[in-house]
Structures are given as structure tokens and as C-alpha cells.
Amino acid sequence: MKKIIAMASMVLCSALAAMETGIGSDQTNAENPAPPIDRRVSKEGAARIRALENFIAAMRNPRSPERARKLLEVLKADPTTRVPLKAIAESLRSSEEAKEIAPELNAISAAHPQELPLALLAAGIDRRAGNPPAERAERLRKTLQSVTAPEKLPRQELNLWLALTQFYLDTALESEEYEAAEEWISDAPRPVTPEAADRQMQIFAEFYRVAAARLPEERRWFGLLPGEREEFLDRYRELIQELVRREDQFNAPGQYISRLGFYEKVGEAREALRLAREFYRKYPSKESLTMLAYAAVAVPDIPAMEAALAEMKKSYPDLVKLGELLYAGGLLDAGDVVRARARLDRLTDPEARFEFELQLLRSEKQFAELRDRLLERQKSGGELTPLHFQLLLMAAENLRDPALLEKVRNALAARGELRHPDYANSIGYVSAELNVNLEEAEKLIRQALSVDANNPAYLDSLAWVLFRRGKFDEADAEIRRAIRFARPGQEMGVLYWHAGEIAAARGKRDEARRFYLMALAERDRELDRAAVEKRLKELESEQ
């Protein structure tokens, strides 16, 4: 990088010297003198020279607080350039810095809506700056409306247009502008290529699925007409049916893998299992069989799990270790702890046996033994994985053990991993749960949110630490955001439990009761059902 910058500087200096003196390289030949050079520089040329100077200065000083602004000047001079886009995104270290440049970047993007890479960058920084979602949705909609014939876009630009479509609908969900988004979907141009058409349908289906989950269950016109929730669910089902029909056109493994990921994302576990069977039948391989096993566990479908394990033993013996772990884990997910423990005797690999024993201890809520096994492994020089640290934090939470929490926090800090958003959030959340180090806990959770502002788990953690600090109104706002951003299929029991506790603290008894009942209706293994039932009885006795 230094060499490139040095060379660019030399070129720039030479060009400037030539403009000042009027000396060109061809004028050194006395026999063929060149015509005089016009020393004046056009406004466009001057702007490009300044842009080059700004780019060189920005790349020479990557940690300079002025870097993003200098790169913005490059975009102003040439909005079509791609070079500064990634550098701008990487130069922003906080939401405050994003707020500083978002207005100018939005203005440049608005003036050039066909520049889709620029629009995608502007949308990302707009979100990171925390600008109102309704305003962000409007800007994205205008950009999307500038494309009337997506089939004419080059493939890379088409992918960007689809990414912006996803961005817009996510933002519409955030701002709860369901009708405006549905209207845009109805009028949006449809791509011609099967791959792009499939992806657009998946984006639309995900929107309808999430929106329907957030809309109230009510009918219109005195119960004679379906409500918006029911209409959105109908559109979601229609799109799923169309996507299933289009699977007949699949002719490559990548198409199956992509569709399986989509079904998993929207919580269609049964459709995923059906397609995974077809994928393995058509393209038998280790990868497709592994995906079939995972799909069976996700349902969970025990006969399908047993069939996948039997196929592993027959065709791919080196997958048997993974298959046994998946099968045992699937039994745990299905609540069949007795059969899961019986499978333990079949695990001959020491590492596989150790990992499954940890999962058994977690399922049986034997957190003291879980803690001791992991600390013994660490003491003997064994490596602790990210999952092991998360299990230790779970043990600290359930055992009400601040000393263990502090030990895990220090170990992560020593490894330089406390900056990772998942670790920062987990330490912050368990601190809030144990009611210790609340100021640092809030700081860590906000650090995680600076990376992923709409992560429902992080928002739930922030709500909980604010609740612990007595900031009930702020906690209420954050827990509602967490519920709003939760995806279909996500376990919601703990979120509703927290929402109930926050509502109760604000004196909203009816609302608290509703949230407690919603929590108990969820199949959330992490929920302390006894605590929720106790709080419900306390509420009823107070009335």
C-alpha cells in the first residue's frame, strides 16, 4: 500500500509540475518542439486532482478522523467510482461518526440513484447512524423506483438491486410501514432470470411472514373480511407454494443449498426436510447427507434422523461421529433425554463423547457439574472453544455465580475476544441477570449493538440491563424493539418474560399478564417457567 501511495504521489507531483511549467516530456526533443501547453486547468480537472489528493491522504492515514470526509470528496467528484466505498465503511468506528457523514452521503446517493453500490453503502451507514426508519425506507424506495427494467441490469448490479430490495423491506418492517411496503411489492418489476426471480420471491415471502407475525389477529367489516394479518399469511403461503413448484427446475446443487437456507430462515423445517431428501437422492454426497441430517434434527423427526444415521454408516463411515452427535442432540431437542443418554455409550471418540456429555448436562440443568468439567479441562491445558465459554456463562447465570462470570470475562479479555459482539453481549446480559457491574454491562451491550443495531438478542440484553438500572421506560422501548426484530422460528419465551417484568415495573398489570401468558405459550428451553408462573400468581393475588 505504501508503494502504491508513493507512486501515486510521484505521478501527481509530476502532473502538477507539468501544469505549472508547461513542460511536457515530448518537449525535451529540441528537433520536434511540442505546441505550448495551456496552463489553465478546467473545473472538472481541478476537481479530479483534489479528489486524487483526498484519496491519497485518506489511504495514507487510515486512522485519521478526517478519512471518511476526504473519501466523501472523492465520491462527490465521481459518484460512479467504486474504490472509496469499502474504505468509507471501514473508516467509521462508531454510530456518532456515521451520523456525521450520513447526510452528505445520502445527498450524493439521492442525486445518483442509479449508482446501486453507492446506494447500498448509504443505506448501511444510514442505519448505523440510527436515523428514523421511516426516512430510511423512503430513501430506499426512491432508489428502487429508479430501476424499471431489472432484466437489463448486469448480473452484479441485479444482485445489488435485490440486496437493496431486502434492505428496504427490512426497514419497512422496522418502521411498521406494512401497507406501503405491500404496495411497493405489488408494483415492483419482476426479474426475468429464474435465479433472480426466486430470490425476489424469497425476499417477499420473508417480509410477509414477519409482518404477519407482528400484526394483530383481527377481521375487518364486522368479521366478514379477513384482516391484514390473514391476508399477509395467505400471500406468504402462495409464495411458498410457488417456490416449491419452481424446485422442479433445479439443476445444480447450489440451488438446493440456497433454498434449504431460506426454508431454515423462515422456519419451514418440514419443507427443508422434504427438499433435503430430494437433494440427497439427486446429488448423493457427504454434504447433502449432512444437510439431510441437520434438517431432520431441526424438525425434529426421529425416524428421519435414524435413517440419515444409517445411511452414514452404510455410505460414509467417516460421518458417523457427526451423525451420532446430531442424532443424540436431536433426541435432546425432542425432549427424549433417556434415549439421548443411552446413545452416549455408542460414542467411542473421546472428544465427541465429551461434547455430548456437556450437552446432556446442559439439558438436565446440571450446571455445577458442567462448570466443573469445563474448568477441569482448562486447568489441564485443554482448549476452550467459543461454545465452551458460552456454556460457562450459562452456568454462571444459572448458579448465580459472579466469581465464575468474572473468571470468564477475564479469560476473554486476555484473549482479546471481549470485542466480539456475541461475547460482549453475553457478558453484559449475564451481568444484568446477576445484577452486578451494570454500568460496564450496558457499555458492553451497546458495543455489541454498534455492530448489529437490530439484533433482537442484543436489544433484549439492553432492555434487561436498563430494567436492572431502574430505567423502566427506556427498557420498555428496547424490549419492544427486540420483539419487533425477532424472526419467525426464534424462541420468544425469555423475551416475553422480560417484557412482562418491565411492564409490571411500569405498573401495567394487564400488559404484564399478557406477556407472561405469551411466554408460557412458547417452547423455549431457556425460560424459567416456574418463575413466570409464580409472577402470574402474584399478579392475580394483588387484584
Short mmCIF file of all heavy atoms in Angstrom, two decimals, residues 374 387-399 404-406 408-409 412 422-423 425-428 430-431 434:
data_model
loop_
_atom_site.label_atom_id
_atom_site.label_comp_id
_atom_site.label_asym_id
_atom_site.label_seq_id
_atom_site.Cartn_x
_atom_site.Cartn_y
_atom_site.Cartn_z
N LEU A 374 -15.70 -28.20 32.58
CA LEU A 374 -15.02 -27.25 31.69
C LEU A 374 -13.81 -26.61 32.37
O LEU A 374 -12.76 -26.42 31.73
CB LEU A 374 -16.01 -26.17 31.23
CG LEU A 374 -16.99 -26.64 30.16
CD1 LEU A 374 -18.11 -25.62 29.96
CD2 LEU A 374 -16.28 -26.89 28.84
N LEU A 387 -18.12 -22.24 22.09
CA LEU A 387 -19.27 -22.88 22.71
C LEU A 387 -19.02 -23.15 24.19
O LEU A 387 -19.91 -22.97 25.03
CB LEU A 387 -19.59 -24.20 21.99
CG LEU A 387 -20.71 -25.04 22.62
CD1 LEU A 387 -22.02 -24.27 22.63
CD2 LEU A 387 -20.87 -26.36 21.88
N HIS A 388 -17.79 -23.54 24.54
CA HIS A 388 -17.47 -23.80 25.95
C HIS A 388 -17.61 -22.54 26.79
O HIS A 388 -18.14 -22.58 27.92
CB HIS A 388 -16.04 -24.35 26.07
CG HIS A 388 -15.86 -25.68 25.44
ND1 HIS A 388 -14.62 -26.16 25.04
CD2 HIS A 388 -16.75 -26.66 25.13
CE1 HIS A 388 -14.77 -27.36 24.52
NE2 HIS A 388 -16.04 -27.68 24.57
N PHE A 389 -17.16 -21.40 26.26
CA PHE A 389 -17.29 -20.14 27.01
C PHE A 389 -18.76 -19.78 27.20
O PHE A 389 -19.17 -19.29 28.26
CB PHE A 389 -16.54 -19.01 26.30
CG PHE A 389 -15.05 -19.01 26.55
CD1 PHE A 389 -14.17 -19.28 25.53
CD2 PHE A 389 -14.55 -18.76 27.82
CE1 PHE A 389 -12.79 -19.29 25.76
CE2 PHE A 389 -13.18 -18.76 28.07
CZ PHE A 389 -12.29 -19.02 27.03
N GLN A 390 -19.57 -20.01 26.16
CA GLN A 390 -20.99 -19.71 26.29
C GLN A 390 -21.65 -20.63 27.33
O GLN A 390 -22.52 -20.19 28.10
CB GLN A 390 -21.69 -19.87 24.93
CG GLN A 390 -21.27 -18.84 23.88
CD GLN A 390 -21.73 -17.43 24.19
OE1 GLN A 390 -22.45 -17.19 25.15
NE2 GLN A 390 -21.32 -16.48 23.37
N LEU A 391 -21.22 -21.89 27.38
CA LEU A 391 -21.75 -22.81 28.39
C LEU A 391 -21.34 -22.38 29.79
O LEU A 391 -22.13 -22.48 30.74
CB LEU A 391 -21.28 -24.23 28.11
CG LEU A 391 -21.90 -24.92 26.88
CD1 LEU A 391 -21.21 -26.25 26.61
CD2 LEU A 391 -23.40 -25.13 27.08
N LEU A 392 -20.12 -21.89 29.94
CA LEU A 392 -19.68 -21.39 31.25
C LEU A 392 -20.49 -20.18 31.68
O LEU A 392 -20.84 -20.03 32.86
CB LEU A 392 -18.18 -21.03 31.20
CG LEU A 392 -17.20 -22.21 31.33
CD1 LEU A 392 -15.78 -21.74 31.08
CD2 LEU A 392 -17.31 -22.85 32.72
N LEU A 393 -20.80 -19.30 30.73
CA LEU A 393 -21.63 -18.13 31.06
C LEU A 393 -23.04 -18.57 31.44
O LEU A 393 -23.66 -17.99 32.35
CB LEU A 393 -21.66 -17.17 29.88
CG LEU A 393 -20.38 -16.37 29.65
CD1 LEU A 393 -20.42 -15.64 28.32
CD2 LEU A 393 -20.16 -15.38 30.79
N MET A 394 -23.55 -19.59 30.77
CA MET A 394 -24.86 -20.14 31.13
C MET A 394 -24.83 -20.71 32.54
O MET A 394 -25.77 -20.53 33.33
CB MET A 394 -25.25 -21.21 30.12
CG MET A 394 -26.69 -21.66 30.23
SD MET A 394 -27.07 -22.90 28.97
CE MET A 394 -26.89 -21.93 27.50
N ALA A 395 -23.71 -21.38 32.88
CA ALA A 395 -23.57 -21.93 34.23
C ALA A 395 -23.51 -20.81 35.26
O ALA A 395 -24.12 -20.88 36.33
CB ALA A 395 -22.31 -22.80 34.30
N ALA A 396 -22.76 -19.74 34.95
CA ALA A 396 -22.65 -18.60 35.87
C ALA A 396 -24.03 -18.00 36.12
O ALA A 396 -24.37 -17.64 37.26
CB ALA A 396 -21.71 -17.55 35.29
N GLU A 397 -24.83 -17.89 35.07
CA GLU A 397 -26.18 -17.32 35.20
C GLU A 397 -27.06 -18.20 36.08
O GLU A 397 -27.73 -17.72 37.00
CB GLU A 397 -26.79 -17.16 33.82
CG GLU A 397 -28.23 -16.67 33.84
CD GLU A 397 -28.87 -16.70 32.46
OE1 GLU A 397 -28.16 -16.91 31.45
OE2 GLU A 397 -30.11 -16.53 32.38
N ASN A 398 -27.08 -19.49 35.79
CA ASN A 398 -27.99 -20.39 36.50
C ASN A 398 -27.54 -20.69 37.93
O ASN A 398 -28.38 -20.96 38.79
CB ASN A 398 -28.15 -21.69 35.71
CG ASN A 398 -29.06 -21.52 34.50
OD1 ASN A 398 -30.27 -21.65 34.61
ND2 ASN A 398 -28.48 -21.21 33.35
N LEU A 399 -26.22 -20.66 38.16
CA LEU A 399 -25.70 -20.92 39.51
C LEU A 399 -25.61 -19.64 40.33
O LEU A 399 -25.21 -19.70 41.50
CB LEU A 399 -24.32 -21.57 39.42
CG LEU A 399 -24.27 -22.97 38.79
CD1 LEU A 399 -22.83 -23.41 38.56
CD2 LEU A 399 -25.02 -23.99 39.64
N LEU A 404 -17.56 -16.86 38.80
CA LEU A 404 -17.37 -17.55 37.53
C LEU A 404 -17.53 -16.58 36.36
O LEU A 404 -16.77 -16.63 35.38
CB LEU A 404 -18.37 -18.70 37.41
CG LEU A 404 -18.32 -19.51 36.11
CD1 LEU A 404 -16.94 -20.12 35.89
CD2 LEU A 404 -19.40 -20.60 36.10
N LEU A 405 -18.50 -15.69 36.47
CA LEU A 405 -18.68 -14.67 35.43
C LEU A 405 -17.42 -13.84 35.26
O LEU A 405 -16.96 -13.60 34.14
CB LEU A 405 -19.87 -13.77 35.80
CG LEU A 405 -20.05 -12.50 34.96
CD1 LEU A 405 -20.32 -12.84 33.50
CD2 LEU A 405 -21.17 -11.64 35.54
N GLU A 406 -16.84 -13.42 36.38
CA GLU A 406 -15.62 -12.60 36.33
C GLU A 406 -14.45 -13.40 35.74
O GLU A 406 -13.65 -12.86 34.96
CB GLU A 406 -15.25 -12.13 37.74
CG GLU A 406 -14.07 -11.17 37.82
CD GLU A 406 -14.36 -9.82 37.18
OE1 GLU A 406 -15.54 -9.52 36.92
OE2 GLU A 406 -13.39 -9.08 36.94
N VAL A 408 -14.63 -15.84 33.50
CA VAL A 408 -14.84 -15.95 32.05
C VAL A 408 -14.55 -14.60 31.39
O VAL A 408 -13.91 -14.55 30.33
CB VAL A 408 -16.28 -16.40 31.74
CG1 VAL A 408 -16.53 -16.39 30.24
CG2 VAL A 408 -16.54 -17.79 32.30
N ARG A 409 -15.01 -13.53 32.01
CA ARG A 409 -14.76 -12.19 31.45
C ARG A 409 -13.27 -11.93 31.32
O ARG A 409 -12.79 -11.44 30.28
CB ARG A 409 -15.40 -11.13 32.34
CG ARG A 409 -15.26 -9.71 31.81
CD ARG A 409 -15.25 -8.67 32.93
NE ARG A 409 -14.92 -7.38 32.40
CZ ARG A 409 -13.71 -6.98 32.07
NH1 ARG A 409 -12.66 -7.80 32.21
NH2 ARG A 409 -13.50 -5.76 31.59
N LEU A 412 -11.69 -14.02 28.47
CA LEU A 412 -12.00 -13.47 27.15
C LEU A 412 -11.21 -12.20 26.88
O LEU A 412 -10.73 -11.97 25.76
CB LEU A 412 -13.50 -13.20 27.04
CG LEU A 412 -14.41 -14.43 26.99
CD1 LEU A 412 -15.87 -14.03 27.07
CD2 LEU A 412 -14.15 -15.26 25.73
N ASP A 422 -20.80 -10.97 20.14
CA ASP A 422 -21.51 -12.04 20.86
C ASP A 422 -20.99 -12.20 22.27
O ASP A 422 -21.78 -12.37 23.23
CB ASP A 422 -21.38 -13.36 20.10
CG ASP A 422 -22.25 -13.41 18.85
OD1 ASP A 422 -23.17 -12.59 18.75
OD2 ASP A 422 -21.98 -14.25 17.98
N TYR A 423 -19.68 -12.15 22.45
CA TYR A 423 -19.11 -12.25 23.79
C TYR A 423 -19.47 -11.03 24.62
O TYR A 423 -19.82 -11.14 25.81
CB TYR A 423 -17.59 -12.39 23.72
CG TYR A 423 -17.11 -13.76 23.31
CD1 TYR A 423 -16.10 -13.93 22.37
CD2 TYR A 423 -17.65 -14.91 23.89
CE1 TYR A 423 -15.65 -15.19 21.99
CE2 TYR A 423 -17.21 -16.17 23.52
CZ TYR A 423 -16.21 -16.31 22.58
OH TYR A 423 -15.75 -17.55 22.21
N ASN A 425 -22.04 -9.09 24.34
CA ASN A 425 -23.45 -9.18 24.71
C ASN A 425 -23.66 -10.21 25.82
O ASN A 425 -24.42 -9.96 26.77
CB ASN A 425 -24.28 -9.55 23.49
CG ASN A 425 -25.73 -9.81 23.85
OD1 ASN A 425 -26.47 -8.91 24.21
ND2 ASN A 425 -26.13 -11.08 23.80
N SER A 426 -23.02 -11.36 25.70
CA SER A 426 -23.23 -12.42 26.70
C SER A 426 -22.75 -12.00 28.08
O SER A 426 -23.43 -12.23 29.09
CB SER A 426 -22.51 -13.70 26.25
OG SER A 426 -23.08 -14.21 25.07
N ILE A 427 -21.56 -11.39 28.13
CA ILE A 427 -21.05 -10.91 29.42
C ILE A 427 -22.00 -9.85 29.99
O ILE A 427 -22.33 -9.85 31.19
CB ILE A 427 -19.63 -10.32 29.26
CG1 ILE A 427 -18.63 -11.43 28.89
CG2 ILE A 427 -19.19 -9.62 30.54
CD1 ILE A 427 -18.34 -12.42 30.00
N GLY A 428 -22.44 -8.93 29.13
CA GLY A 428 -23.36 -7.88 29.59
C GLY A 428 -24.67 -8.44 30.09
O GLY A 428 -25.18 -8.02 31.14
N VAL A 430 -25.41 -11.57 31.23
CA VAL A 430 -25.30 -12.34 32.47
C VAL A 430 -25.02 -11.39 33.65
O VAL A 430 -25.51 -11.61 34.77
CB VAL A 430 -24.21 -13.43 32.35
CG1 VAL A 430 -24.05 -14.18 33.67
CG2 VAL A 430 -24.56 -14.41 31.24
N SER A 431 -24.27 -10.33 33.40
CA SER A 431 -24.05 -9.34 34.46
C SER A 431 -25.38 -8.73 34.89
O SER A 431 -25.63 -8.53 36.09
CB SER A 431 -23.10 -8.24 33.97
OG SER A 431 -21.83 -8.76 33.65
N LEU A 434 -27.35 -11.24 36.93
CA LEU A 434 -26.83 -11.37 38.29
C LEU A 434 -26.84 -10.05 39.04
O LEU A 434 -26.46 -10.01 40.22
CB LEU A 434 -25.41 -11.94 38.26
CG LEU A 434 -25.24 -13.32 37.60
CD1 LEU A 434 -23.81 -13.82 37.75
CD2 LEU A 434 -26.22 -14.33 38.17
#
